[in-house]
Amino acid sequence: MELPKQLFFFFLTLIFLSGLQAEARVRHYGPTKLFVFGDSYVDAGNTRKDQPGSWKQPYGITFPGKPAGRFSDGRVFSDYIAKYLGLKSPVPYNLRKMMPNNLKYGMNFAYGGTGVFNTTSKNPNMTIQIDFFEKLIKENVYTASDLSNSIAYVSVAGNDYNYYLTINGSIQGFPSYIASVINQTTKDLIRIKNLGVKKVAIGGLQPLGCLPLITSTSSFQKCNETFNNLVAIHNNLLNQSITKLKQSYKGGFLIIDLFDSFTSVLNHPKTYNLHNELIPCCLGTSQGFTCGDVDNNNVKKYKVCENPKTAFFWDLFHPTQAGWHAVYNKLQNMNALSQLRN
């Protein structure tokens, strides 16, 4: 029995519309704007082109196919947070005038190499990044209504500790320095919240002892537990601080557990089709050179692995896009991201 043509098209239209409604339900994920602060783990293009790394070959070879200001071969963690929220990646602050139509998704204020305090990088530290944000609010680029349905993600991925070591800070003095970093981080989170942002998320510190910069001393064979024990101090103090903030503000703050998610992926790389998990894909060919470096004759002084999609680390500090994707998947499996949408 055949349906009359008009009835057939009626049912077809119903199916199409229900599909659109289903897609709308899937794509509507709570906050309508994402504001990002921090360092190279979330920088999507703020760092200047004359600085090392993110704007140089071979960065960006996986996505978008050329250097685009991300410290990876492709996407970084802020891209995956935006994806989870159903948003486009927020426009980098330095590029905001070039992409005015994208301001509606939020903004990325993160700069590679920075910390909550000043570091060896001349880029704006966390305090100055929040200053930029506050200025835009005063200029009414973002209204109170915008902020009331927004979320901020803050990355504090260890540049303060790297700087502490470069100025010959002692291991004995590390715990008290960690406490000062957490104290300043807490002030920054409160400031962002008091500007009107509905929810503020911060990444827990990843296992610094597993970064290739550290594991190079063991030929990339094992993580350094001394460093990871110091990371545990950071994360314990951060947990205590966030617990107090949640009590004071009746919610509004959360931690994304990068330590456990990184560790799990590194301990079970084959689950994510990753190999040689501690070996960076892009590495300098001799001492004094690193990924993206060239000599005075513009000759490449680095080598890139055959397939970045099977490597967890891109360079001495940063995951590949595949690495970040694996961490993102693990966080979803841990149900660690669901609070971002509420």
PDB file of all heavy atoms in Angstrom, residues 235-260:
ATOM      1  N   ASN A 235      48.136  19.977  43.821  1.00  0.00           N
ATOM      2  CA  ASN A 235      46.745  19.567  43.611  1.00  0.00           C
ATOM      3  C   ASN A 235      45.970  19.425  44.915  1.00  0.00           C
ATOM      4  O   ASN A 235      44.779  19.743  44.969  1.00  0.00           O
ATOM      5  CB  ASN A 235      46.696  18.275  42.795  1.00  0.00           C
ATOM      6  CG  ASN A 235      47.027  18.509  41.331  1.00  0.00           C
ATOM      7  OD1 ASN A 235      46.836  19.612  40.808  1.00  0.00           O
ATOM      8  ND2 ASN A 235      47.530  17.484  40.662  1.00  0.00           N
ATOM      9  N   ASN A 236      46.644  18.982  45.980  1.00  0.00           N
ATOM     10  CA  ASN A 236      45.981  18.903  47.286  1.00  0.00           C
ATOM     11  C   ASN A 236      45.598  20.285  47.805  1.00  0.00           C
ATOM     12  O   ASN A 236      44.484  20.500  48.299  1.00  0.00           O
ATOM     13  CB  ASN A 236      46.872  18.188  48.304  1.00  0.00           C
ATOM     14  CG  ASN A 236      46.940  16.688  48.072  1.00  0.00           C
ATOM     15  OD1 ASN A 236      46.034  16.108  47.485  1.00  0.00           O
ATOM     16  ND2 ASN A 236      48.018  16.057  48.522  1.00  0.00           N
ATOM     17  N   LEU A 237      46.523  21.234  47.689  1.00  0.00           N
ATOM     18  CA  LEU A 237      46.236  22.605  48.128  1.00  0.00           C
ATOM     19  C   LEU A 237      45.153  23.241  47.265  1.00  0.00           C
ATOM     20  O   LEU A 237      44.295  23.978  47.766  1.00  0.00           O
ATOM     21  CB  LEU A 237      47.510  23.450  48.091  1.00  0.00           C
ATOM     22  CG  LEU A 237      48.580  23.116  49.129  1.00  0.00           C
ATOM     23  CD1 LEU A 237      49.830  23.972  48.903  1.00  0.00           C
ATOM     24  CD2 LEU A 237      48.050  23.319  50.544  1.00  0.00           C
ATOM     25  N   LEU A 238      45.184  22.960  45.959  1.00  0.00           N
ATOM     26  CA  LEU A 238      44.160  23.491  45.059  1.00  0.00           C
ATOM     27  C   LEU A 238      42.787  22.928  45.425  1.00  0.00           C
ATOM     28  O   LEU A 238      41.787  23.668  45.469  1.00  0.00           O
ATOM     29  CB  LEU A 238      44.508  23.158  43.605  1.00  0.00           C
ATOM     30  CG  LEU A 238      43.529  23.680  42.549  1.00  0.00           C
ATOM     31  CD1 LEU A 238      43.486  25.205  42.545  1.00  0.00           C
ATOM     32  CD2 LEU A 238      43.910  23.158  41.158  1.00  0.00           C
ATOM     33  N   ASN A 239      42.731  21.631  45.710  1.00  0.00           N
ATOM     34  CA  ASN A 239      41.465  21.015  46.125  1.00  0.00           C
ATOM     35  C   ASN A 239      40.909  21.659  47.389  1.00  0.00           C
ATOM     36  O   ASN A 239      39.709  21.932  47.485  1.00  0.00           O
ATOM     37  CB  ASN A 239      41.664  19.511  46.356  1.00  0.00           C
ATOM     38  CG  ASN A 239      41.511  18.709  45.077  1.00  0.00           C
ATOM     39  OD1 ASN A 239      40.573  18.898  44.326  1.00  0.00           O
ATOM     40  ND2 ASN A 239      42.448  17.804  44.832  1.00  0.00           N
ATOM     41  N   GLN A 240      41.785  21.907  48.357  1.00  0.00           N
ATOM     42  CA  GLN A 240      41.359  22.550  49.598  1.00  0.00           C
ATOM     43  C   GLN A 240      40.799  23.945  49.327  1.00  0.00           C
ATOM     44  O   GLN A 240      39.770  24.344  49.875  1.00  0.00           O
ATOM     45  CB  GLN A 240      42.528  22.636  50.579  1.00  0.00           C
ATOM     46  CG  GLN A 240      42.996  21.285  51.125  1.00  0.00           C
ATOM     47  CD  GLN A 240      44.283  21.405  51.935  1.00  0.00           C
ATOM     48  OE1 GLN A 240      44.576  22.462  52.491  1.00  0.00           O
ATOM     49  NE2 GLN A 240      45.047  20.326  52.002  1.00  0.00           N
ATOM     50  N   SER A 241      41.496  24.672  48.458  1.00  0.00           N
ATOM     51  CA  SER A 241      41.085  26.043  48.138  1.00  0.00           C
ATOM     52  C   SER A 241      39.730  26.067  47.431  1.00  0.00           C
ATOM     53  O   SER A 241      38.845  26.863  47.777  1.00  0.00           O
ATOM     54  CB  SER A 241      42.144  26.710  47.265  1.00  0.00           C
ATOM     55  OG  SER A 241      41.730  28.005  46.886  1.00  0.00           O
ATOM     56  N   ILE A 242      39.558  25.177  46.450  1.00  0.00           N
ATOM     57  CA  ILE A 242      38.302  25.146  45.694  1.00  0.00           C
ATOM     58  C   ILE A 242      37.141  24.709  46.583  1.00  0.00           C
ATOM     59  O   ILE A 242      36.023  25.224  46.477  1.00  0.00           O
ATOM     60  CB  ILE A 242      38.431  24.221  44.462  1.00  0.00           C
ATOM     61  CG1 ILE A 242      39.426  24.802  43.460  1.00  0.00           C
ATOM     62  CG2 ILE A 242      37.071  24.002  43.798  1.00  0.00           C
ATOM     63  CD1 ILE A 242      39.037  26.156  42.879  1.00  0.00           C
ATOM     64  N   THR A 243      37.402  23.784  47.509  1.00  0.00           N
ATOM     65  CA  THR A 243      36.356  23.356  48.451  1.00  0.00           C
ATOM     66  C   THR A 243      35.856  24.542  49.274  1.00  0.00           C
ATOM     67  O   THR A 243      34.642  24.725  49.462  1.00  0.00           O
ATOM     68  CB  THR A 243      36.893  22.258  49.391  1.00  0.00           C
ATOM     69  OG1 THR A 243      37.258  21.117  48.601  1.00  0.00           O
ATOM     70  CG2 THR A 243      35.846  21.844  50.409  1.00  0.00           C
ATOM     71  N   LYS A 244      36.777  25.380  49.755  1.00  0.00           N
ATOM     72  CA  LYS A 244      36.395  26.565  50.534  1.00  0.00           C
ATOM     73  C   LYS A 244      35.628  27.565  49.668  1.00  0.00           C
ATOM     74  O   LYS A 244      34.635  28.157  50.117  1.00  0.00           O
ATOM     75  CB  LYS A 244      37.648  27.232  51.127  1.00  0.00           C
ATOM     76  CG  LYS A 244      38.305  26.425  52.233  1.00  0.00           C
ATOM     77  CD  LYS A 244      39.580  27.107  52.724  1.00  0.00           C
ATOM     78  CE  LYS A 244      40.280  26.275  53.790  1.00  0.00           C
ATOM     79  NZ  LYS A 244      41.571  26.881  54.214  1.00  0.00           N
ATOM     80  N   LEU A 245      36.080  27.755  48.429  1.00  0.00           N
ATOM     81  CA  LEU A 245      35.401  28.696  47.533  1.00  0.00           C
ATOM     82  C   LEU A 245      33.976  28.230  47.237  1.00  0.00           C
ATOM     83  O   LEU A 245      33.039  29.038  47.207  1.00  0.00           O
ATOM     84  CB  LEU A 245      36.170  28.848  46.218  1.00  0.00           C
ATOM     85  CG  LEU A 245      37.491  29.623  46.278  1.00  0.00           C
ATOM     86  CD1 LEU A 245      38.123  29.693  44.891  1.00  0.00           C
ATOM     87  CD2 LEU A 245      37.273  31.040  46.805  1.00  0.00           C
ATOM     88  N   LYS A 246      33.809  26.939  47.031  1.00  0.00           N
ATOM     89  CA  LYS A 246      32.466  26.408  46.744  1.00  0.00           C
ATOM     90  C   LYS A 246      31.533  26.603  47.934  1.00  0.00           C
ATOM     91  O   LYS A 246      30.341  26.864  47.765  1.00  0.00           O
ATOM     92  CB  LYS A 246      32.565  24.919  46.380  1.00  0.00           C
ATOM     93  CG  LYS A 246      33.169  24.683  45.004  1.00  0.00           C
ATOM     94  CD  LYS A 246      33.590  23.250  44.796  1.00  0.00           C
ATOM     95  CE  LYS A 246      32.448  22.333  44.538  1.00  0.00           C
ATOM     96  NZ  LYS A 246      32.907  20.968  44.146  1.00  0.00           N
ATOM     97  N   GLN A 247      32.095  26.523  49.139  1.00  0.00           N
ATOM     98  CA  GLN A 247      31.287  26.759  50.334  1.00  0.00           C
ATOM     99  C   GLN A 247      30.898  28.235  50.443  1.00  0.00           C
ATOM    100  O   GLN A 247      29.749  28.568  50.754  1.00  0.00           O
ATOM    101  CB  GLN A 247      32.047  26.324  51.587  1.00  0.00           C
ATOM    102  CG  GLN A 247      32.233  24.808  51.690  1.00  0.00           C
ATOM    103  CD  GLN A 247      33.214  24.398  52.782  1.00  0.00           C
ATOM    104  OE1 GLN A 247      33.924  25.244  53.347  1.00  0.00           O
ATOM    105  NE2 GLN A 247      33.262  23.110  53.087  1.00  0.00           N
ATOM    106  N   SER A 248      31.844  29.111  50.130  1.00  0.00           N
ATOM    107  CA  SER A 248      31.596  30.552  50.238  1.00  0.00           C
ATOM    108  C   SER A 248      30.626  31.049  49.172  1.00  0.00           C
ATOM    109  O   SER A 248      29.792  31.925  49.432  1.00  0.00           O
ATOM    110  CB  SER A 248      32.912  31.327  50.129  1.00  0.00           C
ATOM    111  OG  SER A 248      33.808  30.967  51.154  1.00  0.00           O
ATOM    112  N   TYR A 249      30.743  30.499  47.971  1.00  0.00           N
ATOM    113  CA  TYR A 249      29.940  30.978  46.844  1.00  0.00           C
ATOM    114  C   TYR A 249      28.776  30.044  46.516  1.00  0.00           C
ATOM    115  O   TYR A 249      28.099  30.233  45.509  1.00  0.00           O
ATOM    116  CB  TYR A 249      30.820  31.131  45.601  1.00  0.00           C
ATOM    117  CG  TYR A 249      31.709  32.345  45.637  1.00  0.00           C
ATOM    118  CD1 TYR A 249      32.922  32.342  46.331  1.00  0.00           C
ATOM    119  CD2 TYR A 249      31.349  33.520  44.977  1.00  0.00           C
ATOM    120  CE1 TYR A 249      33.745  33.451  46.370  1.00  0.00           C
ATOM    121  CE2 TYR A 249      32.162  34.640  45.001  1.00  0.00           C
ATOM    122  CZ  TYR A 249      33.365  34.600  45.696  1.00  0.00           C
ATOM    123  OH  TYR A 249      34.180  35.712  45.726  1.00  0.00           O
ATOM    124  N   LYS A 250      28.563  29.025  47.346  1.00  0.00           N
ATOM    125  CA  LYS A 250      27.501  28.041  47.092  1.00  0.00           C
ATOM    126  C   LYS A 250      27.635  27.446  45.684  1.00  0.00           C
ATOM    127  O   LYS A 250      26.706  27.469  44.880  1.00  0.00           O
ATOM    128  CB  LYS A 250      26.122  28.669  47.299  1.00  0.00           C
ATOM    129  CG  LYS A 250      25.879  29.108  48.747  1.00  0.00           C
ATOM    130  CD  LYS A 250      24.508  29.723  48.908  1.00  0.00           C
ATOM    131  CE  LYS A 250      24.199  29.997  50.375  1.00  0.00           C
ATOM    132  NZ  LYS A 250      25.171  30.882  51.028  1.00  0.00           N
ATOM    133  N   GLY A 251      28.818  26.929  45.415  1.00  0.00           N
ATOM    134  CA  GLY A 251      29.119  26.360  44.090  1.00  0.00           C
ATOM    135  C   GLY A 251      29.884  27.358  43.246  1.00  0.00           C
ATOM    136  O   GLY A 251      30.513  28.274  43.765  1.00  0.00           O
ATOM    137  N   GLY A 252      29.826  27.173  41.945  1.00  0.00           N
ATOM    138  CA  GLY A 252      30.429  28.148  41.036  1.00  0.00           C
ATOM    139  C   GLY A 252      31.876  27.899  40.682  1.00  0.00           C
ATOM    140  O   GLY A 252      32.444  28.605  39.845  1.00  0.00           O
ATOM    141  N   PHE A 253      32.515  26.894  41.322  1.00  0.00           N
ATOM    142  CA  PHE A 253      33.917  26.575  41.023  1.00  0.00           C
ATOM    143  C   PHE A 253      34.066  25.064  40.865  1.00  0.00           C
ATOM    144  O   PHE A 253      33.375  24.293  41.536  1.00  0.00           O
ATOM    145  CB  PHE A 253      34.832  27.045  42.157  1.00  0.00           C
ATOM    146  CG  PHE A 253      34.879  28.534  42.338  1.00  0.00           C
ATOM    147  CD1 PHE A 253      33.989  29.172  43.191  1.00  0.00           C
ATOM    148  CD2 PHE A 253      35.814  29.310  41.661  1.00  0.00           C
ATOM    149  CE1 PHE A 253      34.020  30.541  43.367  1.00  0.00           C
ATOM    150  CE2 PHE A 253      35.861  30.685  41.829  1.00  0.00           C
ATOM    151  CZ  PHE A 253      34.956  31.307  42.679  1.00  0.00           C
ATOM    152  N   LEU A 254      34.988  24.651  40.001  1.00  0.00           N
ATOM    153  CA  LEU A 254      35.284  23.228  39.881  1.00  0.00           C
ATOM    154  C   LEU A 254      36.685  23.007  39.334  1.00  0.00           C
ATOM    155  O   LEU A 254      37.272  23.895  38.698  1.00  0.00           O
ATOM    156  CB  LEU A 254      34.270  22.509  38.998  1.00  0.00           C
ATOM    157  CG  LEU A 254      34.275  22.828  37.502  1.00  0.00           C
ATOM    158  CD1 LEU A 254      34.018  21.560  36.698  1.00  0.00           C
ATOM    159  CD2 LEU A 254      33.198  23.845  37.180  1.00  0.00           C
ATOM    160  N   ILE A 255      37.216  21.809  39.600  1.00  0.00           N
ATOM    161  CA  ILE A 255      38.540  21.408  39.118  1.00  0.00           C
ATOM    162  C   ILE A 255      38.371  20.325  38.061  1.00  0.00           C
ATOM    163  O   ILE A 255      37.591  19.393  38.236  1.00  0.00           O
ATOM    164  CB  ILE A 255      39.405  20.858  40.271  1.00  0.00           C
ATOM    165  CG1 ILE A 255      39.639  21.937  41.334  1.00  0.00           C
ATOM    166  CG2 ILE A 255      40.750  20.341  39.740  1.00  0.00           C
ATOM    167  CD1 ILE A 255      40.354  21.425  42.576  1.00  0.00           C
ATOM    168  N   ILE A 256      39.099  20.471  36.969  1.00  0.00           N
ATOM    169  CA  ILE A 256      39.167  19.417  35.954  1.00  0.00           C
ATOM    170  C   ILE A 256      40.439  18.616  36.234  1.00  0.00           C
ATOM    171  O   ILE A 256      41.539  19.172  36.216  1.00  0.00           O
ATOM    172  CB  ILE A 256      39.219  20.010  34.530  1.00  0.00           C
ATOM    173  CG1 ILE A 256      38.003  20.920  34.286  1.00  0.00           C
ATOM    174  CG2 ILE A 256      39.283  18.894  33.496  1.00  0.00           C
ATOM    175  CD1 ILE A 256      36.672  20.239  34.376  1.00  0.00           C
ATOM    176  N   ASP A 257      40.292  17.338  36.488  1.00  0.00           N
ATOM    177  CA  ASP A 257      41.404  16.505  36.969  1.00  0.00           C
ATOM    178  C   ASP A 257      42.334  16.085  35.826  1.00  0.00           C
ATOM    179  O   ASP A 257      42.180  15.017  35.238  1.00  0.00           O
ATOM    180  CB  ASP A 257      40.848  15.271  37.681  1.00  0.00           C
ATOM    181  CG  ASP A 257      41.935  14.493  38.419  1.00  0.00           C
ATOM    182  OD1 ASP A 257      43.129  14.763  38.181  1.00  0.00           O
ATOM    183  OD2 ASP A 257      41.584  13.611  39.224  1.00  0.00           O
ATOM    184  N   LEU A 258      43.299  16.928  35.539  1.00  0.00           N
ATOM    185  CA  LEU A 258      44.255  16.602  34.478  1.00  0.00           C
ATOM    186  C   LEU A 258      45.314  15.612  34.945  1.00  0.00           C
ATOM    187  O   LEU A 258      45.903  14.910  34.116  1.00  0.00           O
ATOM    188  CB  LEU A 258      44.923  17.877  33.956  1.00  0.00           C
ATOM    189  CG  LEU A 258      44.024  18.846  33.197  1.00  0.00           C
ATOM    190  CD1 LEU A 258      44.831  20.022  32.666  1.00  0.00           C
ATOM    191  CD2 LEU A 258      43.296  18.146  32.051  1.00  0.00           C
ATOM    192  N   PHE A 259      45.555  15.536  36.240  1.00  0.00           N
ATOM    193  CA  PHE A 259      46.575  14.590  36.712  1.00  0.00           C
ATOM    194  C   PHE A 259      46.135  13.150  36.444  1.00  0.00           C
ATOM    195  O   PHE A 259      46.861  12.372  35.812  1.00  0.00           O
ATOM    196  CB  PHE A 259      46.865  14.784  38.207  1.00  0.00           C
ATOM    197  CG  PHE A 259      48.026  13.967  38.686  1.00  0.00           C
ATOM    198  CD1 PHE A 259      49.307  14.489  38.678  1.00  0.00           C
ATOM    199  CD2 PHE A 259      47.851  12.655  39.124  1.00  0.00           C
ATOM    200  CE1 PHE A 259      50.402  13.725  39.096  1.00  0.00           C
ATOM    201  CE2 PHE A 259      48.932  11.886  39.540  1.00  0.00           C
ATOM    202  CZ  PHE A 259      50.209  12.422  39.521  1.00  0.00           C
ATOM    203  N   ASP A 260      44.954  12.792  36.904  1.00  0.00           N
ATOM    204  CA  ASP A 260      44.491  11.410  36.723  1.00  0.00           C
ATOM    205  C   ASP A 260      44.239  11.081  35.255  1.00  0.00           C
ATOM    206  O   ASP A 260      44.502   9.957  34.817  1.00  0.00           O
ATOM    207  CB  ASP A 260      43.224  11.159  37.537  1.00  0.00           C
ATOM    208  CG  ASP A 260      43.522  10.923  39.013  1.00  0.00           C
ATOM    209  OD1 ASP A 260      44.727  10.906  39.376  1.00  0.00           O
ATOM    210  OD2 ASP A 260      42.583  10.777  39.807  1.00  0.00           O
TER     211      ASP A 260
END
